[in-house]
Amino acid sequence: MKDRNCIVCGTPLGEMPLMTLEHMPASAQDIPSEEEIENDKGVTLHLHQCETCGLVQFDCQPVAYYKDVIRSGGFTTTMVELRRSQYRHFIETFHLEGKKLIEAGCGQGEFLGVLNEFPVMACGIEQRESLVQSAREKGLAVWNQFAEEGAVLEPEDGSITGPYDGFLSFNFLEHQPSPVSMLRCLADNLTEAGVGLITVPSLEYILQYDGYYELIRDHLAYYTFDTLKFAVEEAGFEVLEEEIVNRDTLSVFVRKTAKPVASETARQGRKPEKIDVSGLIESQTLIGRELENMTRTLKSQGKRLALWGASHQGFTLAATTEIGRFAEYIIDSAPFKQGKYAPASHLPIVSPEHYKKDPVEVILIVAPGYTSEIAGAIGEKFGGDVEIMALKSNHLERI
Ligand SMILES: [Zn+2]
C-alpha cells in the first residue's frame, strides 16, 4: 500500500498515515449472507492527508459498488425540504428555468423526483440497473451511465441530448477513486458557462462532533471546502458559492471556466492546513474503553445485550470493540438486512420480532439521528423492562 497516490493531485501519500483503523468493515452496503461470512474479513484502513492538495483520504481500493448510488437511509421529510430549498436557490441564482439539468448518480431518483416540481428539464444517470428501473417506474428520465472522462452523457435511444445547462451531485464524490475524472466528464457535457451543485459530507463536522465510527471504507475522501475547491478547479470549474447544509454537509455552486486553472501554478503556491485527527484517535480509545466497561458490568450482572441499527456506525462499533463479541444480535427494521450478518463482526441481523423469541436485558441504539425515534419504538414494542442505551458522540448514555 506504500505506492498509493492522492486521488486528486497524484502526489504519493507517503508512509505515515494520520491514523490507522484496524478490523474495519470491508463495506457498508454488501452485507454478507451466511454462505459469505467465511470470506468476509475486517480490513485495515490508513487515513492519509495529501501534502500537496491537503485532501484527507484512505489509501485503499474503492468498494466494488462505488459507481452505484445506494441511498438506504436518510430519505426523510427534512432531506426533501433541504433539496427543495437548494434547488430553488440554484435555479434562481443561475436563471435555470426551462433549462436542462442532469443528476450524476441519481440512485432510484429520490431527489430527481423533487427536482421535477420545478420548471426545468430534469434527467439523471445511474450505474446500477435495478435502480435505473425503479427510477423509470416513477416516470423519471433516468438511464444507465457513469460519469467518467470521455463519456458522452446521453441515453442510447437519443431521447435526451446534451449539452446540459447544469448538473447535480449529491454525496457521490466522496466515494470516487477518480473524482477529477468524474468532474471533467461533467464539465465536458455542459454548455459553455454550465453550472453545478455538489454536496459532500464535511470532514470538519466529523472531526468536531463524531467519533471514528463515522469513517467508512465506502467514503474514500473526506473533503473540506478548501480541498473540494482544489478538486473542482483541477477539473475546470470555479466555486461561486459555498455553504454548510444540514450541519454536516458541504454544498457548493460551481461554474465551468473558460480555461482551466493552470494545474502547476495552483499546486505550487499551495500550503494546505494540517488536519488534526487527535480527537478521532482519542474517540477510538474512549469508546473502546466505555464499551469494554459496559460489557464487563453486564456480564457480572448476568445481563445480555443487543444492538439496534445495522448501520455503518453499528457495523464499525461491533467490528472494532468488545461489543462485537459480547452482543447477541443486531436488530434492524429493514427486511433486506435481516437474516444477514454484520461485516467483520458477523453478528446476526434480525427483525424487531426476534426480540420476543430471544429477549435481552439491554439494547444499545447505534443509529445517529434516529435515537429518540427508535427508543420510542422499543418502549412501545418491547415494554418497559428493557434498558435502553445510546452512543452519543464519545460516550454511552442511558435513555
Ligand atoms: Zn493531493
Side-chain angles (χ1 to χ4, degrees), residues 281-397:
I281 296 174
E282 195 187 31
S283 79
Q284 264 182 306
T285 320
L286 286 177
I287 293 170
R289 204 183 296 150
E290 281 230 7
L291 293 174
E292 209 178 308
N293 288 341
M294 182 186 72
T295 53
R296 197 177 306 130
T297 310
L298 294 180
K299 227 180 255 177
S300 72
Q301 297 170 338
K303 289 180 176 171
R304 296 161 77 229
L305 171 82
L307 304 184
W308 187 303
S311 58
H312 73 81
Q313 296 94 340
F315 293 157
T316 297
L317 288 174
T320 56
T321 73
E322 194 52 38
I323 55 164
R325 280 178 289 272
F326 183 71
E328 301 294 327
Y329 48 80
I330 303 183
I331 302 169
D332 199 284
S333 6
F336 70 95
K337 294 181 180 174
Q338 297 160 5
K340 297 194 168 184
Y341 294 82
S345 70
H346 300 163
L347 280 176
I349 303 169
V350 301
S351 71
E353 284 64 43
H354 181 88
Y355 171 84
K356 291 183 187 127
K357 281 185 278 173
D358 182 19
V360 293
E361 285 74 27
V362 184
I363 294 178
L364 173 64
I365 302 174
V366 194
Y370 301 94
T371 305
S372 50
E373 200 182 314
I374 293 170
I378 294 175
E380 218 169 88
K381 279 186 186 161
F382 305 162
D385 289 342
V386 60
E387 275 177 57
I388 306 173
M389 312 276 290
L391 189 71
K392 293 240 172 101
S393 195
N394 269 352
H395 61 277
L396 284 169
E397 274 178 22

Side-chain angles (χ1 to χ4, degrees), residues 8-317:
V8 164
C9 76
T11 304
L13 291 175
E15 291 179 33
M16 280 300 291
L18 294 174
M19 72 186 291
T20 296
L21 297 135
E22 311 268 6
H23 205 247
M24 292 286 280
S27 93
Q29 299 292 348
D30 278 343
I31 308 178
S33 63
E34 192 165 5
E35 302 77 53
E36 288 162 337
I37 48 176
E38 205 181 318
N39 294 319
D40 170 72
K41 287 189 179 64
V43 293
T44 300
L45 298 175
H46 304 286
L47 191 71
H48 286 267
Q49 182 178 21
C50 171
E51 54 185 41
T52 302
C53 77
L55 181 65
V56 171
Q57 58 200 289
F58 282 132
D59 64 359
C60 61
Q61 294 295 324
V63 292
Y65 52 85
Y66 72 87
K67 294 180 177 177
D68 308 346
V69 176
I70 306 155
R71 303 193 207 273
S72 50
F75 186 62
T76 56
T77 36
T78 321
M79 191 54 88
V80 170
E81 265 315 307
L82 171 65
R83 290 290 173 259
R84 206 169 268 144
S85 78
Q86 286 181 295
Y87 288 147
R88 194 171 299 125
H89 183 41
F90 184 59
I91 292 167
E92 276 171 14
T93 305
F94 298 115
H95 310 291
L96 296 167
E97 296 85 0
K99 299 289 173 75
K100 221 185 280 182
L101 304 182
I102 184 166
E103 184 181 359
C106 68
Q108 47 180 299
E110 292 92 337
F111 302 139
L112 200 57
V114 183
L115 183 59
N116 265 342
E117 297 169 11
F118 292 85
V120 293
M121 199 246 113
C123 61
I125 53 170
E126 167 56 46
Q127 171 76 18
R128 185 171 288 206
E129 189 55 47
S130 61
L131 297 172
V132 172
Q133 289 312 323
S134 315
R136 283 200 183 142
E137 279 159 24
K138 294 178 205 156
L140 299 169
V142 172
W143 66 95
N144 185 278
Q145 209 171 7
F146 178 72
E148 54 200 335
E149 225 169 337
V152 177
L153 303 180
E154 288 175 356
E156 278 172 12
D157 64 9
S159 55
I160 295 165
T161 52
Y164 303 89
D165 304 287
F167 77 89
L168 308 147
S169 167
F170 296 115
N171 291 32
F172 193 29
L173 207 61
E174 70 274 17
H175 298 251
Q176 300 310 316
S178 306
V180 178
S181 159
M182 170 175 280
L183 291 166
R184 280 193 186 139
C185 169
L186 290 164
D188 290 344
N189 282 276
L190 290 185
T191 53
E192 211 166 294
V195 291
L197 163 56
I198 305 168
T199 70
V200 287
S202 154
L203 171 64
E204 279 107 338
Y205 187 88
I206 296 176
L207 293 175
Q208 202 173 346
Y209 298 103
D210 294 325
Y212 74 100
Y213 50 80
E214 275 304 330
L215 304 174
I216 54 170
R217 186 193 165 192
D218 298 48
H219 293 178
L220 288 179
Y222 294 83
Y223 290 94
T224 61
F225 278 129
D226 182 53
T227 52
L228 181 59
K229 182 168 179 280
F230 182 85
V232 303
E233 286 176 355
E234 286 279 299
F237 288 102
E238 58 182 331
V239 174
L240 295 183
E241 202 177 303
E242 53 180 49
E243 72 171 318
I244 305 268
V245 295
N246 207 24
R247 300 189 311 280
D248 59 1
T249 304
L250 309 179
S251 173
V252 294
F253 287 178
V254 299
R255 183 168 59 197
K256 197 167 145 177
T257 46
K259 61 174 196 294
V261 182
S263 201
E264 277 313 308
T265 337
R267 282 173 207 198
Q268 272 161 14
R270 211 176 145 75
K271 284 215 167 52
E273 196 189 330
K274 188 97 181 111
I275 297 288
D276 176 11
V277 297
S278 57
L280 289 181
I281 296 174
E282 195 187 31
S283 79
Q284 264 182 306
T285 320
L286 286 177
I287 293 170
R289 204 183 296 150
E290 281 230 7
L291 293 174
E292 209 178 308
N293 288 341
M294 182 186 72
T295 53
R296 197 177 306 130
T297 310
L298 294 180
K299 227 180 255 177
S300 72
Q301 297 170 338
K303 289 180 176 171
R304 296 161 77 229
L305 171 82
L307 304 184
W308 187 303
S311 58
H312 73 81
Q313 296 94 340
F315 293 157
T316 297
L317 288 174

